[in-house]
Amino acid sequence: MVDRSLIDSIRDRIDLVELVSGHVMLKRVGSSYRGLCPFHSERTPSFYVHPERKFFYCFGCRASGDAFEFLMRIEGKTFPEVLRALAERAGVVLPEHAGERAGEDRRAREHKKRLLAILERATQFFVQMLKAHPHASRAWEELERRQVREEVVEAYRLGYAPPEGNALARHLSENGVSMADAEEVGLVFSKRGSTWVDRFRHRLIFPVSDSQGQVLGFSGRALSPLPDDEPKGETPKYLNTPDTPLFRKGELLFGLHQARLAMRREGVAILCEGNFDVLAVHKAGFANVVAPLGTAITSEQARLLRRFVPEVIVLFDGDAAGRKALWHAAKVLGEAGLTMRLALLPDGEDPDSFVRAQGEAALAQRLKHSSPLIEFLIESSADEVGRDMRKRIQAIESLGALLYRIVQPVESHLYVQAIGRAFEITDLNIVRQALKRGARQAFAQGEAPLPSPRDPQPSPLPPDPVELEILGAFLDQPHAFSQNMVQELFDLLTDPQVKAVLESAWHLLQSDGELDSVKLLEAVKENPASKAIYDWVSRRLAQVRWDENLAKEVAEGALLQLRKRAVEKLRKDLARRIQEVLRSGNESQAEELIRIRDELSRRIGGLVQPHQGPVLKSNSKS
């Protein structure tokens, strides 16, 4: 666990504007910088970076955070990865574990670095072979047949593995690479205990990278045999790197590095089934496309996608196998919390063949008119079973095994209604019971636990505008507020959300001597009393609205209104009390209360002073 003070030190040393400028073109606007948000598609800039507060915020998609959050979002890195990268950028040495563990960690990092360098060297070799090897013409024939343009070949760093049994092994050895290391990353294997043989031979090579572009392994596509090839047994169409310390087929996605920025920008990923599908969709103008490596999508891959986008458009083959795969994809993607849509292809078509046959504009239309995947599964299930009631109930139970992961009460209710309509069952209790049976069966088979019911929570009332305005002035210029002024605010503020934020901000100011935006947002999010206005606080921190003089003017004007409200409330309470006392017949007590009420009325009159500052007017009636 890294000490919080060290994290703060790294953040303080990072020039956030410089960091963000590596991904976004920023223009200075007042004390902030503004540009097009990298996390969603927009034409008008709404993404702000505040250099002094080390904080960014998008008014469009509401993304916000510090340098750590920005790198995790833009590059899909984990916090430890970002911590190490920013520490190196800031020139901060991270503490290592003492003694033997430190040496082990250092050796492990050096070993990983060496393996990655070998994979990069192999990638460069394959790329060069695609350009220069005489038999690479077979690879180019396949690429031309698929209408893959050269710029796409370069973007995905496609290569060619020569047919000679040890071309790569010889190249690596001549460059000082240990064959044991090359074997560890799946590039070669030992034959008869002495001869090293290339794993990939006469194949079109697809490098498989992580989100940062580091090659972790390869996927090789078989090509038409050469004239002098000896007949062999059945050759797999695709050959992937075996599991290694760096490569886990079920945890990686082909095309992730090339798609990451487009996925962030568009807020959606296109999920295909194969490598050539990815190339075809990319060629059609949609860079936000990825695919699993020859198998059904896994939970790990779905969670990896969720780090980049909230929504996925599934673009699978239009045959029976492709439609069957939709059920598995819906289950896995739904468990990861992804919104799922379907761009349906004609029977017998995959994205690659569809684009070649009907063109890029036709694919764009399919993607544009994608529809909710769950709705398609409901309707197709109803179509398949026909009128047989027993089969209809069984189909609904199958849907229950899929839908029981949906915990939002409103969404679940809508699905029940949709299933009732699709299967022509008017009694929704029958639908609910069938769904519950399917859910129980899935649970009994060891799938994820059933969600516990959630009681709906009442939405908090919107904060008072005057109280928000004085809180905003404090966030802009906290040092303009005296301790007496803040203590009076604690007494006068009536909105629990605003008061909770002010308390958190004041505590940070007293403990740190300054108001750290990131720490404040963490405190706001963690506090049940204030988390409902987290987004408002984020927006307000993104732009400094008042300088010190204006902040004081705002504060003084708002305080006048709050004092007036407090006294007015007291006066109204007294008026009710007077009526009660008069009804009881206690005239002397009523006279005393009337005297106090009149005094309060005079005080209210004294508080009503014209205010020229930019304070919002209260909506309350006085």
Side-chain angles (χ1 to χ4, degrees), residues 15-186:
D15 185 333
L16 185 58
V17 172
E18 181 184 350
L19 178 70
V20 174
S21 293
H23 303 271
V24 180
M25 186 177 293
L26 296 174
K27 182 179 179 180
R28 190 175 186 96
V29 180
S31 60
S32 301
Y33 289 78
R34 184 175 66 193
L36 293 172
C37 180
F39 306 126
H40 80 287
S41 181
E42 63 178 9
R43 294 183 179 180
T44 303
S46 61
F47 179 83
Y48 284 78
V49 178
H50 197 289
E52 292 182 4
R53 289 175 171 171
K54 308 285 184 182
F55 176 77
F56 71 86
Y57 182 81
C58 177
F59 286 82
C61 69
R62 301 181 179 181
S64 65
D66 59 359
F68 293 93
E69 180 67 20
F70 181 81
L71 271 193
M72 285 191 288
R73 279 177 170 268
I74 200 73
E75 296 185 355
K77 292 182 176 179
T78 62
F79 180 79
E81 291 171 330
V82 167
L83 176 65
R84 189 171 299 279
L86 290 181
E88 184 175 345
R89 187 184 184 110
V92 174
V93 179
L94 294 176
E96 301 286 357
H97 300 293
E100 184 177 345
R101 178 64 184 276
E104 291 176 359
D105 289 348
R106 184 172 57 255
R107 286 190 293 273
R109 289 196 301 272
E110 291 172 351
H111 182 60
K112 179 179 179 180
K113 187 175 181 180
R114 186 169 69 251
L115 297 183
L116 288 170
I118 293 170
L119 290 163
E120 176 59 28
R121 183 177 289 278
T123 303
Q124 294 172 7
F125 172 80
F126 291 138
V127 168
Q128 181 59 30
M129 290 299 98
L130 183 62
K131 296 176 181 178
H133 197 282
H135 293 314
S137 58
R138 297 301 175 95
W140 283 110
E141 288 171 6
E142 182 66 20
L143 291 169
E144 289 167 6
R145 184 178 74 83
R146 305 270 190 164
Q147 301 176 8
V148 180
R149 293 193 287 260
E150 191 167 345
E151 60 265 27
V152 177
V153 172
E154 292 177 356
Y156 288 86
R157 304 183 72 190
L158 304 188
Y160 173 67
E164 299 87 0
N166 63 348
L168 176 60
R170 190 171 61 251
H171 171 78
L172 294 176
S173 180
E174 289 172 354
N175 284 275
V177 172
S178 160
M179 285 298 100
D181 286 346
E183 182 180 32
E184 187 175 1
V185 293

Side-chain angles (χ1 to χ4, degrees), residues 245-531:
L246 300 178
F247 186 91
R248 295 283 188 275
K249 183 172 64 173
E251 299 175 6
L252 299 169
L253 291 163
F254 176 67
L256 179 63
H257 176 64
Q258 291 80 3
R260 73 197 192 288
L261 295 180
M263 289 195 300
R264 293 289 194 195
R265 184 174 60 252
E266 302 298 331
V268 61
I270 301 170
L271 181 67
C272 297
E273 291 187 280
N275 296 355
F276 275 112
D277 294 332
V278 170
L279 302 187
V281 174
H282 186 115
K283 180 187 69 173
F286 300 93
N288 53 327
V289 56
V290 295
L293 296 168
T295 59
I297 187 167
T298 66
S299 298
E300 291 81 5
Q301 290 165 334
R303 287 195 294 270
L304 177 59
L305 271 178
R306 188 64 183 85
R307 287 164 57 182
F308 290 86
V309 292
E311 182 176 355
V312 171
I313 298 177
V314 180
L315 187 64
F316 283 2
D317 297 0
D319 56 14
R323 296 194 175 213
K324 183 178 179 181
L326 290 175
W327 282 86
H328 173 79
K331 168 188 166 184
V332 173
L333 297 171
E335 284 179 337
L338 287 154
T339 300
M340 301 166 287
R341 299 184 67 81
L342 172 66
L344 191 61
L345 294 174
D347 288 349
E349 295 276 17
D350 58 34
D352 177 34
S353 64
F354 181 81
V355 171
R356 282 186 282 131
Q358 302 197 32
E360 298 168 4
L363 177 64
Q365 285 299 308
R366 295 273 173 167
L367 293 171
K368 181 180 179 181
H369 295 101
S370 60
S371 57
L373 174 56
I374 299 298
E375 290 185 10
F376 170 79
L377 294 177
I378 291 171
E379 292 169 3
S380 61
S381 295
D383 291 341
E384 289 172 5
V385 297
R387 305 293 301 172
D388 187 300
M389 179 58 77
R390 183 178 61 84
K391 289 183 178 179
R392 280 194 281 173
I393 295 299
Q394 289 175 344
I396 295 173
E397 289 175 355
S398 296
L399 286 166
L402 172 65
L403 296 178
Y404 80 96
R405 294 168 183 83
I406 299 170
V407 297
Q408 294 84 354
V410 173
E411 190 177 6
S412 298
H413 178 65
L414 293 175
Y415 280 137
V416 169
Q417 292 179 322
I419 291 170
R421 287 193 300 270
F423 286 85
E424 298 180 356
I425 299 176
T426 56
D427 189 343
L428 295 185
N429 285 326
I430 295 176
V431 175
R432 292 189 185 94
Q433 291 303 316
L435 289 172
K436 287 179 181 178
R437 283 196 299 273
R440 292 192 192 100
Q441 290 167 9
F443 177 66
Q445 292 169 4
E447 303 206 12
L450 289 166
S452 56
R454 296 181 179 179
D455 296 326
Q457 299 296 320
S459 300
L461 295 173
D464 179 84
V466 174
E467 297 193 11
L468 279 181
E469 191 72 359
I470 199 167
L471 175 60
F474 183 86
L475 297 180
D476 280 354
Q477 304 293 339
H479 294 287
F481 286 66
S482 67
Q483 183 168 353
N484 289 338
M485 187 181 294
V486 174
Q487 292 301 326
E488 185 179 9
L489 280 174
F490 287 149
D491 293 335
L492 293 175
L493 291 174
T494 59
D495 190 298
Q497 303 168 93
V498 174
K499 191 171 183 179
V501 175
L502 181 64
E503 288 173 346
S504 296
W506 180 248
H507 174 74
L508 286 171
L509 188 65
Q510 294 302 298
S511 61
D512 297 351
E514 61 180 359
L515 186 55
D516 187 303
S517 300
V518 176
K519 289 183 181 178
L520 176 60
L521 285 172
E522 290 176 358
V524 170
K525 183 182 285 187
E526 292 171 1
N527 188 346
S530 60
K531 64 181 181 181

